[in-house]
Amino acid sequence: MQAMSNTPAKMTIVSGIQPSGNLHLGNYFGAVQQFIQFTEADQDCYYFLANYHALTSLRDGPRLHALTRGTAADYIALGLNPDRCSIYLQSDIPEVCELQWILTTVTPMGLLERCHAYKDKAQQGIPSDHGLFAYPVLMAADILIVSANRVPVGQDQKQHVEVTRDIAQYFNNTYGDLLTLPEPYIPQSVATVPGRDGRKMSKSYNNTIELFAGETEVRQQIYSIVTDSASVAEPKDPDKSNLYPILKLFCNLEEQAYWQDRFRSGGLGYREVKQAIFERFMEKFGPARARRKELESQPEYVDAVLKRGAEQARKLSLPLVRKVREAAGIPNL
Ligand code: ADP
Ligand code: TRP
């Protein structure tokens, strides 16, 4: 991984996913794949379920509860090894919310007004709540609480990591250098995975291909990728198609060249490409899907992983918050 080549010391890696829906290809290639790589490269890795963040879009207690444990099982099934990284719930680290409050007091309004989640809603005239406005400060707390150096995320989260750096700098200028400035880690080839309609794949656009949906549903999702009406015989531009960028995710360079050539030469029908995507998908995620089924009957195991993960994360969060409190003049017990 190029981000590590000139950094000899071990790095601390952190990232989270909101358990507000079912994991999809965008989450895997844009985030989880990199989570696994950092873990396998023996870095200090902290991966959590951002269940407080999820409250900004999901107001259904039982569903959030089920999705939270389910997403933890997804992480494990996909190959995140709980013996080599810490997997936990954001809500199990109370220091996160405490740090968030302190950070809000050094965060200028203008910085948050520029953040896209809130700004997009405001521009469309949709009322938003304080949670959505303050969302980037909570994300900053998630990152700063473990003194992370790198944050593997998709392109859509880059701004939030930059805001985290700004907030850390405001804090450090006010109270001294306690907070570590993190950098985003976004491999360009997977920065934005397109959805079935060509827009960014996202739970909120209903254009996903879900990692753990039933086989019939996965097939149906893949077969509903939007295509034009070009005939089989016509040559096609792979880069203008919604299919090629998704197929490409599963291909090495040689295979990419093969498919590009097939698109351009004509005689390639969209059904054949969809079938190829389906086969690649099942080949790649088949073992994870089987493991995910097994984990369904082992909720105690998943809970134990989360408990251990929270204990590990709190080894970092507690001392950090004590230093922050002390610097800000809040007494420690
Ligand atoms: P969604 O947009 O579906 O709600 P999340 O916001 O929960 O997804 O994203 C969790 C992680 O997955 C983040 O790091 C995000 O950047 C990444 N991610 C989500 N969708 C994509 C995508 N289409 N391409 C690349 N990365 C993505
Ligand atoms: N905001 C991220 C998303 O929607 C999830 C998230 C919350 C996160 N806290 C984080 C990601 C800290 C990386 C680091 O995808």
Side-chain angles (χ1 to χ4, degrees):
M1 304 180 75
Q2 90 275 16
M4 291 176 212
S5 53
N6 44 16
T7 324
K10 237 187 195 193
M11 289 192 297
T12 301
I13 313 298
V14 76
S15 195
I17 292 186
Q18 300 186 55
S20 53
N22 299 326
L23 285 194
H24 52 74
L25 280 183
N27 298 137
Y28 179 77
F29 287 104
V32 179
Q33 175 178 258
Q34 284 67 254
F35 298 1
I36 296 168
Q37 285 171 359
F38 276 115
T39 306
E40 299 300 313
D42 227 5
Q43 304 298 311
D44 275 334
C45 296
Y46 295 85
Y47 301 122
F48 62 95
L49 290 317
N51 52 350
Y52 280 138
H53 276 106
L55 290 176
T56 62
S57 62
L58 181 59
R59 292 179 182 167
D60 176 340
R63 182 162 154 74
L64 177 59
H65 197 271
L67 277 170
T68 304
R69 202 203 262 123
T71 311
D74 294 347
Y75 274 5
I76 299 168
L78 284 167
L80 262 188
N81 180 348
D83 296 329
R84 298 184 70 180
C85 66
S86 301
I87 302 176
Y88 56 97
L89 305 188
Q90 182 183 39
S91 59
D92 282 341
I93 316 296
E95 294 75 32
V96 165
C97 286
E98 183 172 351
L99 179 62
Q100 185 212 359
W101 174 255
I102 296 174
L103 295 176
T104 61
T105 65
V106 297
T107 303
M109 291 290 284
L111 187 63
L112 299 182
E113 276 160 357
R114 288 195 291 279
C115 286
H116 57 72
Y118 163 77
K119 201 169 119 188
D120 292 352
K121 271 203 173 174
Q123 272 171 357
Q124 293 171 46
I126 304 171
S128 43
D129 47 49
H130 181 254
L132 188 71
F133 184 69
Y135 174 125
V137 193
L138 181 58
M139 181 157 161
D142 292 326
I143 296 171
L144 300 171
I145 201 78
V146 293
S147 305
N149 313 104
R150 290 281 187 288
V151 188
V153 280
Q155 183 69 23
D156 61 312
Q157 297 298 318
K158 184 169 185 252
Q159 182 190 43
H160 291 149
V161 181
E162 285 163 0
V163 164
T164 299
R165 289 175 65 90
D166 290 344
I167 294 175
Q169 254 157 344
Y170 284 117
F171 179 93
N172 286 349
N173 290 342
T174 311
Y175 294 114
D177 278 343
L178 291 180
L179 304 180
T180 303
L181 267 48
E183 278 176 32
Y185 178 77
I186 308 174
Q188 270 325 295
S189 57
V190 285
T192 307
V193 172
R196 289 184 271 139
D197 55 2
R199 292 186 292 169
K200 179 201 126 152
M201 188 176 286
S202 171
K203 286 166 226 149
S204 32
Y205 296 155
N206 191 26
N207 65 354
T208 61
I209 297 170
E210 289 175 23
L211 301 175
F212 297 105
E215 191 166 325
T216 314
E217 207 178 335
V218 170
R219 186 190 296 275
Q220 187 266 326
Q221 288 175 350
I222 291 173
Y223 274 70
S224 70
I225 298 172
V226 179
T227 52
D228 61 24
S229 56
S231 68
V232 173
E234 273 174 73
K236 302 166 180 74
D237 182 347
D239 298 319
K240 289 208 177 112
S241 144
N242 290 331
L243 288 173
Y244 179 68
I246 296 179
L247 175 62
K248 191 173 134 185
L249 298 166
F250 298 94
C251 294
N252 61 28
L253 288 177
E254 203 178 312
E255 291 164 329
Q256 289 179 27
Y258 165 81
W259 283 106
Q260 286 200 11
D261 188 49
R262 294 268 335 259
F263 267 80
R264 294 209 168 90
S265 336
L268 175 67
Y270 291 136
R271 275 192 81 80
E272 185 183 340
V273 187
K274 288 177 176 176
Q275 182 58 26
I277 296 176
F278 178 75
E279 281 164 16
R280 298 299 174 99
F281 177 100
M282 286 302 167
E283 194 183 317
K284 180 155 183 74
F285 296 112
R289 290 162 60 83
R291 175 89 179 106
R292 179 70 182 77
K293 277 222 176 75
E294 281 166 25
L295 286 170
E296 215 123 284
S297 57
Q298 302 169 356
E300 334 70 47
Y301 170 70
V302 177
D303 286 346
V305 165
L306 293 173
K307 185 164 177 281
R308 185 157 45 109
E311 282 163 8
Q312 297 291 350
R314 291 194 83 193
K315 285 188 191 157
L316 299 182
S317 68
L318 273 163
L320 196 267
V321 149
R322 288 182 77 81
K323 284 190 217 148
V324 165
R325 281 168 149 241
E326 194 180 316
I330 306 292
N332 276 304
L333 270 178

